[in-house]
Amino acid sequence: MMERFEVNILGCGSALPTSRHALSSQVVNLRDKLFMIDCGEGTQLQFRFLKLKFQRLNRIFISHLHGDHCFGLFGLISSLGLLGRTADLHVHAQADAEKIFRPVLDYFCKELTYKVFFHAFNPTKNELIFEDRTLKVSTIPLKHRVPCAGFLFEEKPKSPHIIREMIDFYQVPVSRIAGIKAGADFVTLEGELVANRVFTRPAEPPRKYAYCLDTAYYEKIIPIIEGVDLLYHEATFSHEDIVRAKETYHSSARQAALIAQAAHVKKLVIAHFSARVTDENILLNEAREIFPDTILADEGIVLKV
Amino acid sequence: MMERFEVNILGCGSALPTSRHALSSQVVNLRDKLFMIDCGEGTQLQFRFLKLKFQRLNRIFISHLHGDHCFGLFGLISSLGLLGRTADLHVHAQADAEKIFRPVLDYFCKELTYKVFFHAFNPTKNELIFEDRTLKVSTIPLKHRVPCAGFLFEEKPKSPHIIREMIDFYQVPVSRIAGIKAGADFVTLEGELVANRVFTRPAEPPRKYAYCLDTAYYEKIIPIIEGVDLLYHEATFSHEDIVRAKETYHSSARQAALIAQAAHVKKLVIAHFSARVTDENILLNEAREIFPDTILADEGIVLKV
């Protein structure tokens, strides 16, 4: 069975919250560790509505310092304190974030029961900003009015699967299994060399998820997101509004699809809908003309990577 | 007909937002001018859901600097800018507010199309902090973990009503009517003095509304809120939890009712329910035992003052 790797959509509207869409935020769940991307106003409530577990959330990534992507941090951090959190919380954002947020947190959250660490990244570079045993997160430089980064979530390559029957057949001692997982061959008591491939099946290829908003159409991201399993790309406007999209450094649905197609991604989710868009199916159809495997983001949906 | 004077409840929960209640905020509507009191996270959305008009909102009063009462300011101020507001916005709060909020607004709202002014008040004094032609707003010092003020909204005394038939009967020229409204008698062409009371009926007595949260039971507010038409008082806990109420400087429903009774208010609304309270009718019944004319606050209700 594949380990859980999914994306929970908390909010997929653009700068103005509406009755249809909450502000930008989502939670990537990799093997029940939760990673938040962006945290617009109201995120803590959406988190609660989706019945996600606050204690599994340890790391937040902020794409850029526009209010609709980060004003929810104040309330979220504050409420985690009221809930008695003790585990550290890590916020990855541009360098200004700590300068701006820390004084507010120091003022309002004097009695915080846990520590908040800010980790600065450079949004103009494609670089690794976090890794643990199973995951790598790197930045995807985007093209917006202010410096803005997307995020690429990549599973690390997994150990091959052990074929239990062959282990039994060759009476491999337990102490040798870790070595075989790591690629070693096996020599039987009779001195026979048995190749590693006899005991193993290759693991599933590592899965990749890319988050790209807010951004104008920007071909430079294509090599970075090449072949990802799931691309979450903004489509603030329909292509009819391409002039406005360009002015505001946003993308049309058609442009999101062109990026998905050029990068050979497996699936595209479009999001960050302008409050002016009354029928999102227009965006969906526009994208599907170019990239058929497209869906619309919506609050509460869970996307498998 | 009485001019509109009503209170729209945007949020009446306590510090942790729940699926039942939003964070503290309400809008006092006096003759279609809107005055916001407190602005917890999510307030801009609640404002929108209640179909209130952003352009009629010019003044915000913040009771105290706890996040659940003011973190919504960032998003609200930001969105008003996106909506193209040009009118000044005035925020009345404790002196620290400007120090804390201004750098965030300067950073995130560089292109704001209107000005935000902070007006500092002293929460330890009962003093007038705003007045216009029809309204006076003064602070009500409360007893909380941090300095906290309630607000008393008082209509100014209104001019008496003119009795049209008597004006016609004595052939009072139009130029004299303002004087009669202001209390002058009238002398006819024949030299007859006609007393002012012949031409006027007294206006309705000015209405008063008092907002008191967050606060422990605090008898010193009683003379300030004496006889108000509507008292909005917190009742975070039931009296069973009086120990916790005291520890956290909050009130029980019973205590809210005792204050209402002692101050001879006309009507009590209880609010700021703890997330632990699963059945608010317990609070309601507890309060009604002492002060029968009590109701529960709830999001979306409109209270006539």
Side-chain angles (χ1 to χ4, degrees), chain A residues 16 34 70-71 103 122 131 139 185 234 271 277:
Chain A
L16 281 172
L34 304 185
C70 59
F71 281 165
N122 176 351
E131 66 178 322
T139 43
D185 297 326
E234 73 138 281
V277 173

Side-chain angles (χ1 to χ4, degrees), chain A residues 178-236:
Chain A
I180 289 176
K181 274 198 168 188
D185 297 326
F186 177 67
V187 181
T188 63
L189 288 175
E190 292 78 29
E192 182 191 353
L193 180 92
V194 188
N196 179 274
R197 67 170 186 283
V198 172
F199 301 105
T200 59
R201 270 189 298 113
E204 297 77 18
R207 290 165 289 180
K208 294 184 186 186
Y209 169 62
Y211 174 93
C212 298
L213 55 84
D214 302 9
T215 186
Y217 177 75
Y218 194 43
E219 293 182 351
K220 286 193 181 160
I221 70 174
I222 294 170
I224 303 173
I225 64 172
E226 172 69 32
V228 300
D229 297 271
L230 185 66
L231 169 63
Y232 189 90
H233 194 289
E234 73 138 281
T236 306

Side-chain angles (χ1 to χ4, degrees), chain B residues 14-53:
Chain B
S14 63
L16 280 172
T18 64
S19 48
R20 293 201 310 284
H21 293 298
L23 294 175
S24 293
S25 184
Q26 56 179 244
V27 170
V28 177
N29 180 335
L30 180 62
R31 309 182 186 194
D32 291 325
K33 285 185 286 190
L34 304 185
F35 301 89
M36 182 177 282
I37 308 180
D38 284 339
C39 186
E41 181 178 358
T43 292
Q44 61 164 323
L45 254 185
Q46 294 291 97
F47 196 98
R48 213 172 249 268
F49 286 157
L50 299 190
K51 301 194 188 304
L52 295 167
K53 295 203 164 46

Side-chain angles (χ1 to χ4, degrees), chain B residues 65 93-103 116-120:
Chain B
L65 297 176
Q94 294 171 38
D96 281 351
E98 179 153 22
K99 197 178 77 188
I100 298 301
F101 287 109
R102 187 68 80 187
V116 180
F117 294 93
F118 285 87
H119 305 273

Side-chain angles (χ1 to χ4, degrees), chain B residues 85-101:
Chain B
R85 182 188 181 95
T86 54
D88 295 341
L89 182 73
H90 299 273
V91 180
H92 296 261
Q94 294 171 38
D96 281 351
E98 179 153 22
K99 197 178 77 188
I100 298 301
F101 287 109

Side-chain angles (χ1 to χ4, degrees), chain A residues 38-53:
Chain A
D38 283 338
C39 186
E41 180 177 1
T43 292
Q44 62 165 321
L45 255 183
Q46 295 291 99
F47 196 98
R48 213 173 248 268
F49 286 156
L50 299 191
K51 301 193 188 305
L52 295 166
K53 295 203 164 45

